[in-house]
Amino acid sequence: MKVKRYVVDDLPQAVQMIRSELGSDAVILNTKEIRIGGFLGMFRKKRVEVIAAVDEASRKMPARPQPARPAKPAAPDNKPPASVTDDLPELRTPIPNQAVRSKYAAGSGASAPAAPAGVAIAEQAVEYKPLLDETPLPGMVEAVHPSQGQTGGEAPASENTLTLLQELRTMKDMMAKLTRQQTFRSMPESVVKWSRRLAEQGVDPVHVEQFAEEVRHRLGDEDKSDESASYEAAKEVLTSWLLPCAGSGISPGIRIAHFVGPTGVGKTTTIAKLAAEQSLNHRRSVGLITADTYRISAVDQLRTYADILNVPLEVVFSPGELTRAYKKMADRDLLFMDTAGRNYRNEMFVSEVNSLLAPGEKSETFLVLSMTHKYADMKLVAAQFAKYGVRRLLITKTDETDTFGAIVNLVREFSFPISYITCGQTVPDDIRPFDPAEWVNKLLGEPAHE
């Protein structure tokens, strides 16, 4: 069997190539859409990959015996010689494709020669897409093999028939998908510049393409080569993405704030910063609770902060001890609870820490993620906690990186409000509410001034 791969613009082009190279007995084994080329994963062109095969043995058909014919009388000298096609009447026989095509078009029940397998059927499926959309596929067995059932010696629908029907279904789905999608249009250079900037910042290629489309749409009839105009349009698009996810911080009605997240993201230091901010700036009485008994010196670190701020600290080892801790701090306006950092890509650890969180209208859970982590890991952790209703983000260590695309990715993927951003180790100064305008400027940088 000979197998060959084709990468083409559309399915009809592949069908023509397969017919010319492999013949009408070829069978399409698989079709799928792929993307090639592009820059930094963007602006890739859509192509169709087609795998076709043909059985070499089936192509060597034995010659049909010629029926005996009476000898023709010699032609008179004044008549032209007989045409070559007179001796080859089979060349004048209608091609089976034409017979099947006539049956499709006219809808008649007349018998027609069997359609060739593989490519011929694929060509008919492409050319008669409306018919495929209107006719259920199981009822197309007669159209695919109209000669079956007419001769008593022939077998019913075989595996080859089922394969052809599967190919028809695949091509029908492919054509519907190609109809819905449009090829990514070429972008002006000014738009490509800001798209490239977001790609360098680590924004996912899918979101970069969406960004480019929206910027081009906002520019409208303006001069798309004007860099300042494209910069303003880019800022407007990013602001529209980030502004709805600007969190409100810790609201006055919250009494218990839980902090969860992977190891090394800075939960304990962040709790100390917020405790100082709420105590000094908002004049709220604060208490600290820690369940981080896995990490060496974790309790000592939080106890040091508690002594400096002059606030009480309770250590819990199980969910049963939380009730005792809450009762001991019943006079406090706001409680901050620290949890152990674990590998929260494992759902078992996520459910374990979730058992420590007190449900209720007066509690809130913050997922703490570090900008120094890979976005793929951040996405997995966020997806795990989203299952348990965690909907607020706190981003740390923004001062330790120059790429901030993960913020856009998290906002677009999960629509989590971002309440706070930390940018250093200083307590309580290096924490502030999330400001979309600030991070739009960091993502795009400043336009070049002539």
Side-chain angles (χ1 to χ4, degrees):
M1 176 174 287
K2 182 178 180 181
V3 180
K4 193 165 183 180
R5 174 177 177 265
Y6 298 86
V7 177
V8 293
D9 293 330
D10 51 33
L11 205 54
Q13 179 184 355
V15 170
Q16 294 298 328
M17 295 175 65
I18 295 171
R19 284 182 61 86
S20 62
E21 295 183 17
L22 301 182
S24 60
D25 292 326
V27 176
I28 294 178
L29 302 179
N30 185 43
T31 61
K32 70 176 181 179
E33 182 181 311
I34 61 174
R35 288 176 176 263
I36 60 175
F39 176 80
L40 294 177
M42 303 182 300
F43 314 119
R44 294 174 292 176
K45 296 181 180 179
K46 296 177 183 177
R47 294 290 185 267
V48 180
E49 180 188 77
V50 181
I51 307 297
V54 63
D55 189 354
E56 295 287 353
S58 65
R59 299 179 65 181
K60 300 177 181 179
M61 302 296 294
R64 292 187 301 175
Q66 296 294 332
R69 290 176 297 180
K72 292 184 180 181
D77 294 339
N78 57 349
K79 292 185 179 181
S83 171
V84 175
T85 56
D86 291 339
D87 294 328
L88 298 174
E90 64 274 10
L91 294 181
R92 298 196 302 270
T93 303
I95 300 175
N97 281 10
Q98 300 294 338
V100 176
R101 190 174 290 118
S102 300
K103 183 176 181 180
Y104 281 150
S108 63
S111 171
V119 178
I121 300 302
E123 180 180 338
Q124 293 160 12
V126 173
E127 188 168 350
Y128 290 91
K129 179 179 180 297
L131 183 65
L132 292 179
D133 292 335
E134 297 170 3
T135 306
L137 286 173
M140 294 181 63
V141 177
E142 291 185 3
V144 176
H145 288 280
S147 62
Q148 287 187 2
Q150 297 175 7
T151 304
E154 293 188 1
S158 61
E159 293 184 1
N160 190 33
T161 304
L162 297 177
T163 302
L164 294 176
L165 290 176
Q166 182 61 39
E167 291 175 10
L168 289 174
R169 290 192 183 95
T170 302
M171 287 184 288
K172 178 181 176 182
D173 295 340
M174 176 68 71
M175 287 184 289
K177 186 175 181 180
L178 293 176
T179 302
R180 291 192 301 266
Q181 296 179 345
Q182 297 179 351
T183 305
F184 191 77
R185 292 182 290 271
S186 59
M187 291 291 169
E189 182 59 32
S190 60
V191 178
V192 173
K193 174 182 178 180
W194 303 118
S195 301
R196 185 182 298 116
R197 166 73 182 182
L198 288 191
E200 293 170 351
Q201 285 286 310
V203 177
D204 190 89
V206 173
H207 306 318
V208 173
E209 291 189 9
Q210 295 173 352
F211 166 83
E213 283 285 354
E214 292 192 27
V215 172
R216 184 192 60 79
H217 178 72
R218 284 180 181 265
L219 286 174
D221 297 331
E222 295 185 29
D223 182 8
K224 295 180 175 59
S225 62
D226 186 353
E227 185 172 316
S228 61
S230 64
Y231 178 74
E232 292 301 322
K235 287 182 63 175
E236 291 175 5
V237 171
L238 283 183
T239 302
S240 69
W241 287 4
L242 298 181
L243 189 59
C245 293
S248 58
I250 299 177
S251 60
I254 296 300
R255 183 172 183 270
I256 305 174
H258 308 98
F259 294 83
V260 298
T263 59
V265 296
K267 292 188 299 297
T268 303
T269 305
T270 299
I271 288 175
K273 293 174 183 178
L274 288 174
E277 188 257 349
Q278 292 290 316
S279 177
L280 299 176
N281 297 341
H282 299 276
R283 303 298 179 182
R284 301 178 71 179
S285 59
V286 175
L288 304 180
I289 301 175
T290 180
D292 187 2
T293 56
Y294 293 94
R295 185 166 58 93
I296 298 176
S297 75
V299 175
D300 293 338
Q301 180 184 1
L302 197 58
R303 191 182 302 279
T304 301
Y305 286 130
D307 293 340
I308 294 174
L309 298 173
N310 193 26
V311 298
L313 169 68
E314 290 292 326
V315 181
V316 296
F317 294 90
S318 66
E321 297 183 11
L322 281 173
T323 304
R324 172 186 57 80
Y326 291 149
K327 287 182 179 179
K328 291 185 67 173
M329 296 189 178
D331 60 330
R332 294 287 158 172
D333 298 328
L334 180 62
L335 302 179
F336 290 98
M337 181 174 175
D338 190 14
T339 59
R342 307 288 293 276
N343 176 19
Y344 288 125
R345 294 181 299 176
N346 187 327
E347 189 169 359
M348 182 183 69
F349 293 147
V350 178
S351 61
E352 179 182 317
V353 74
N354 186 66
S355 65
L356 293 170
L357 309 183
E361 296 181 357
K362 293 185 177 181
S363 66
E364 204 165 46
T365 302
F366 295 84
L367 174 59
V368 184
L369 296 175
S370 170
M371 286 296 295
T372 58
H373 287 182
K374 294 186 300 183
Y375 173 66
D377 296 332
M378 298 168 69
K379 180 178 178 180
L380 286 175
V381 173
Q384 294 281 40
F385 278 101
K387 299 176 184 177
Y388 293 90
V390 177
R391 290 291 182 272
R392 302 182 73 85
L393 276 180
L394 196 154
I395 306 297
T396 64
K397 301 186 180 182
T398 59
D399 59 314
E400 298 181 19
T401 181
D402 291 325
T403 57
F404 310 105
I407 291 178
V408 176
N409 296 335
L410 289 169
V411 166
R412 298 296 288 176
E413 291 283 346
F414 300 98
S415 300
F416 286 166
I418 303 177
S419 299
Y420 292 98
I421 295 286
T422 71
C423 52
Q425 297 293 318
T426 304
V427 178
D429 298 329
D430 293 335
I431 189 170
R432 57 180 180 269
F434 176 69
D435 180 10
E438 174 189 358
W439 294 97
V440 167
N441 291 332
K442 287 180 178 293
L443 285 164
L444 292 177
E446 295 294 332
H449 297 286
E450 296 182 358

